[in-house]
Amino acid sequence: MAFSGALTLTDLNDFITPSQACIKPVEQTNAPAKHQDEGLASTEIRVDSAGAYYEVSTDGLKSQTGAQQKLQTADISLNDCLACSGCITSAESVLISMQSHTEVLNFLANNPEDICVSHKIPVLSIAPQSLASLAASISSSSSTPAPLPLHRILRRVEAFCKKILGFEHVFDTTFARHLALQEHVREFRERKSAQGQLPMLASACPGWVCYAEKTHSEMLPFISRTKSPQQVMGTLVKEWMASKWHRSPSQIYHVTVMPCYDKKLEASRQDFYNDVYSTRDVDCVITTGELELMMREKNWDLSIAVEGETDTDEHVSQVHPVTPEGDDIHLPELINHPGTSSGSYLHSLIRTVVQDHPRALDLSVRSVRSSDYEEYTLSDRSSGEVVFKGAKCYGFRNLQNLVRKVGRDAGVQVGRGAAGRLDAMRGRAVKARKGEGRGGSVDKTYDYVEVMACPGGCVNGGGQLRPAAKAQRTMTDEEGFKRDWESSGVKLDGEEIGNVQGQSGKWGDKEWTKKVEVVYWHELPTPPPSPTPEGDGDSEILLSHLVDAKHQVADEFAMRVLTETCQPAGDESVVSWTDSMDEAAETRRRALFRTQYRAVESEVIGLAVKW
């Protein structure tokens, strides 16, 4: 098993349960022959001088001429990891060589020329949170502390990936997120019309989904079926773009740069594998730290400007028609979705509810424990009736409390054993007593929750760059050992105390997370302000913050993608993403933009584990 070069051990406080067992069933293809002496083994294991293992029959040992069979080394794949319920963490660190920057470099080095039939088109997609982390690292380690806008960082990453690594296309994932948000809204409306269970829980975080599948299968009916932006991007690249380029999905190699290690596990899910062409929607996932490591290995300085990075890109502000050959595809870039830096799923639904409601609404925000757990309530201004209640819940500590609350409100059993049954009975009893007191008022339960496994959300993902640690004037590290920073490749600015990126930096540092958050929003408020609980704001102000000028362009492009991929029958008019199409087109929509989940039953008995 090969581990990522950028793999780091994160804060142990965010672990749910340590790994109790890692078991992969071994299939026995050849049953041993019955031996005359039942108490005697028919084979033995021999180890040669090179460390290889051989299975030798006992008869062969006696005669020294018997046949021996070399034993294969056991491999643990990502699918094996997903199928096992032995460990759950906020950022699972069981990585193999198929999901590392080394694998990307090996593929690019061995990819044949484009004139060869076996040539694959290398495509890279990068998340905006990763761009924000790279921008923050530049501002903290250079003499110019002012952070650069994300579009300039994107241009520099694009130049590195195309000129140095050999990628042919580089995109950001905000347009894929735009499609995911629209499908998210459509699914929420379906559930509100009694076609699903509420509250609807966000599905963009694979750490949360994996946790629910392995630990709280009772939560799966509540999780949204909409694909994450990464997997929607995989659909765009392997389905829509492939058809434009007249290539099959297997003739494209798609790499994503994500702020989270769990995205590697998400890309490896069987639901995102094309059995016809034997390829995945996302072939390889690397983290922000791995991309930065590749840049250092290739001696690429991200702080140096590249040609054309300050130019206004035409394809950002308008929709370009795709050429007949499909060689030049431009997606709308860096679309802002005001709300949260983790995708703004909750705020997109708030915007939809405000637009759909016939009367003015007031938004109130209440912090439950911290800024990582907040409740949002939309109330009718005239009657005071609660129209919508949602929440954002970040971090596993808050997440476990959320699971218990959702279970109580929905009347489902949460947890395992007697404690889980007791909690469920208590929840049903509380639900039965609703309406007593206060004139029979009923507390409204959640309609939607934006769930993320990492505290602080995606900008604080386990794969992000850590804050720069200060290099001391004594030139010693924290353990007291002398360090020659310059010989180690660390450059200090004059006599000032330098910043050493990644040296002793702590994952989850709140000040660093705030800095990445500021860089993420850049030209927007951080985040856009909301009306106070007293209701002195109005819905028009809310909409003015949520509507982005690029959204109309992105909506038009989204409709092109929808009609070309789903192919609605006849002259059926499809004006918006949420419009219904014929049954065949809707089936294709669900296959392309939605997924499913399945519970993973644990076979580990805690009392039987030997520690």
Side-chain angles (χ1 to χ4, degrees):
M1 181 186 298
F3 290 88
S4 165
L7 179 61
T8 57
L9 183 64
T10 56
D11 190 356
L12 291 177
N13 291 331
D14 207 34
F15 276 65
I16 297 304
T17 55
S19 175
Q20 294 180 331
C22 182
I23 302 171
K24 178 183 178 181
V26 178
E27 180 183 2
Q28 185 174 2
T29 57
N30 53 339
K34 289 187 178 180
H35 202 273
Q36 293 180 354
D37 188 350
E38 296 296 338
L40 180 64
S42 59
T43 60
E44 291 186 7
I45 304 299
R46 174 184 294 173
V47 184
D48 65 9
S49 59
Y53 291 82
Y54 294 87
E55 183 180 21
V56 185
S57 65
T58 53
D59 295 336
L61 287 174
K62 295 177 182 178
S63 64
Q64 297 298 323
T65 58
Q68 62 182 11
Q69 179 182 1
K70 185 176 181 180
L71 299 178
Q72 295 182 351
T73 304
D75 294 326
I76 299 177
S77 68
L78 283 174
N79 288 332
D80 298 323
C81 179
L82 284 172
C84 172
S85 57
C87 59
I88 290 290
T89 69
S90 63
E92 291 198 58
S93 57
V94 183
L95 312 176
I96 62 172
S97 58
M98 286 183 61
Q99 296 284 351
S100 68
H101 74 286
T102 305
E103 175 67 18
V104 175
L105 294 176
N106 290 338
F107 166 80
L108 294 172
N110 298 316
N111 190 29
E113 297 291 334
D114 54 5
I115 59 175
C116 299
V117 178
S118 57
H119 171 78
K120 292 186 177 182
I121 301 177
V123 178
L124 183 133
S125 307
I126 184 169
Q129 294 88 354
S130 296
L131 293 173
S133 182
L134 292 170
S137 68
I138 293 177
S139 63
S140 65
S141 59
S142 63
S143 57
T144 56
L148 295 173
L150 296 190
H151 76 269
R152 295 184 64 179
I153 300 297
L154 178 59
R155 294 280 83 80
R156 297 181 187 185
V157 170
E158 181 180 14
F160 168 72
C161 292
K162 288 185 175 181
K163 296 178 180 179
I164 305 300
L165 298 182
F167 281 92
E168 296 183 25
H169 303 275
V170 176
F171 305 100
D172 72 273
T173 61
T174 56
F175 178 68
R177 182 178 66 189
H178 191 74
L179 301 186
L181 289 174
Q182 295 192 71
E183 187 65 20
H184 217 63
V185 170
R186 177 181 172 84
E187 183 182 358
F188 180 75
R189 286 174 173 170
E190 292 174 357
R191 291 181 180 238
K192 288 289 286 185
S193 60
Q195 298 182 34
Q197 290 185 268
L198 291 176
M200 189 170 89
L201 308 178
S203 59
C205 176
W208 149 242
V209 172
C210 191
Y211 170 62
E213 287 184 322
K214 296 179 179 180
T215 309
H216 289 289
S217 58
E218 69 277 0
M219 291 289 108
L220 297 183
F222 301 98
I223 300 179
S224 167
R225 264 47 183 175
T226 302
K227 288 183 179 181
S228 70
Q230 172 181 269
Q231 297 310 134
V232 171
M233 193 70 202
T235 298
L236 288 175
V237 172
K238 290 295 185 83
E239 298 291 339
W240 183 67
M241 293 184 187
S243 65
K244 297 297 180 184
W245 293 329
H246 301 287
R247 299 294 184 95
S248 67
S250 59
Q251 293 177 308
I252 299 175
Y253 187 77
H254 184 205
V255 178
T256 60
V257 181
M258 290 288 144
C260 175
Y261 283 108
D262 286 329
K263 287 294 182 181
K264 298 172 183 279
L265 300 174
E266 180 183 63
S268 183
R269 293 177 70 94
Q270 191 62 33
D271 296 330
F272 306 135
Y273 183 80
N274 190 324
D275 293 316
V276 177
Y277 293 98
S278 300
T279 184
R280 300 192 182 278
D281 294 341
V282 178
D283 295 286
C284 189
V285 181
I286 60 175
T287 62
T288 313
E290 287 175 293
L291 177 62
E292 192 267 345
L293 179 61
M294 294 167 69
M295 291 180 177
R296 285 193 280 115
E297 290 178 350
K298 300 294 184 179
N299 296 320
W300 178 272
D301 190 350
L302 194 63
S303 63
I304 299 178
V306 297
E307 183 180 357
E309 72 174 41
T310 59
D311 297 342
T312 301
D313 292 329
E314 293 292 334
H315 61 272
V316 175
S317 58
Q318 63 182 355
V319 177
H320 274 245
V322 180
T323 58
E325 294 76 22
D327 293 332
D328 190 18
I329 294 179
H330 295 297
L331 298 181
E333 285 186 346
L334 297 175
I335 307 169
N336 297 315
H337 297 101
T340 64
S341 56
S342 298
S344 302
Y345 293 91
L346 172 62
H347 286 72
S348 66
L349 291 180
I350 292 176
R351 173 187 176 184
T352 300
V353 173
V354 171
Q355 288 177 330
D356 293 346
H357 202 269
R359 295 181 297 275
L361 301 177
D362 286 330
L363 174 66
S364 62
V365 182
R366 183 177 76 91
S367 178
V368 178
R369 291 175 180 82
S370 65
S371 59
D372 277 347
Y373 194 171
E374 295 178 338
E375 292 182 346
Y376 292 73
T377 304
L378 282 174
S379 305
D380 190 296
R381 182 174 299 176
S382 57
S383 64
E385 177 188 2
V386 176
V387 176
F388 173 88
K389 186 174 182 180
K392 77 167 188 178
C393 180
Y394 296 166
F396 268 119
R397 294 179 181 178
N398 292 325
L399 193 152
Q400 293 175 84
N401 294 326
L402 171 72
V403 168
R404 288 191 286 268
K405 174 178 173 54
V406 172
R408 287 195 303 267
D409 293 343
V412 299
Q413 179 175 319
V414 175
R416 295 169 177 165
R421 291 192 292 271
L422 179 62
D423 187 68
M425 288 188 291
R426 186 186 299 115
R428 286 191 287 270
V430 171
K431 195 171 183 179
R433 291 196 301 268
K434 292 288 185 179
E436 297 179 3
R438 293 191 178 184
S441 62
V442 178
D443 294 334
K444 182 173 177 58
T445 59
Y446 290 149
D447 295 298
Y448 181 83
V449 184
E450 181 177 305
V451 185
M452 300 293 161
C454 292
C458 294
V459 293
N460 187 38
Q464 294 282 71
L465 299 180
R466 292 185 294 167
K470 295 293 184 179
Q472 302 176 1
R473 291 182 184 275
T474 57
M475 306 305 285
T476 59
D477 59 21
E478 291 184 356
E479 296 179 342
F481 294 98
K482 293 183 178 181
R483 294 293 301 272
D484 187 351
W485 299 112
E486 293 186 1
S487 64
S488 301
V490 179
K491 181 180 179 180
L492 301 181
D493 297 331
E495 297 297 327
E496 299 179 356
I497 300 177
N499 291 325
V500 186
Q501 187 67 31
Q503 289 286 338
S504 304
K506 181 183 178 182
W507 176 79
D509 183 271
K510 292 184 178 180
E511 293 300 322
W512 176 254
T513 303
K514 289 181 181 178
K515 183 172 185 177
V516 179
E517 181 96 5
V518 171
V519 176
Y520 176 88
W521 293 111
H522 190 63
E523 298 174 352
L524 294 176
T526 314
S530 301
T532 62
E534 288 74 18
D536 57 351
D538 51 26
S539 57
E540 288 77 17
I541 296 179
L542 175 64
L543 284 174
S544 67
H545 288 301
L546 292 173
V547 177
D548 192 291
K550 296 180 181 178
H551 284 197
Q552 183 177 359
V553 175
D555 288 342
E556 295 175 5
F557 208 104
M559 291 312 303
R560 172 185 300 173
V561 172
L562 183 66
T563 54
E564 292 181 358
T565 54
C566 297
Q567 302 173 359
D571 297 331
E572 188 172 352
S573 176
V574 182
V575 179
S576 68
W577 188 276
T578 55
D579 289 343
S580 297
M581 300 178 289
D582 61 278
E583 184 176 353
E586 287 296 335
T587 301
R588 285 190 288 269
R589 182 213 289 264
R590 288 190 293 270
L592 293 173
F593 300 105
R594 296 196 185 182
T595 183
Q596 56 186 345
Y597 314 106
R598 50 189 63 87
V600 179
E601 296 297 333
S602 174
E603 298 179 356
V604 176
I605 302 175
L607 296 177
V609 175
K610 295 181 180 180
W611 298 96

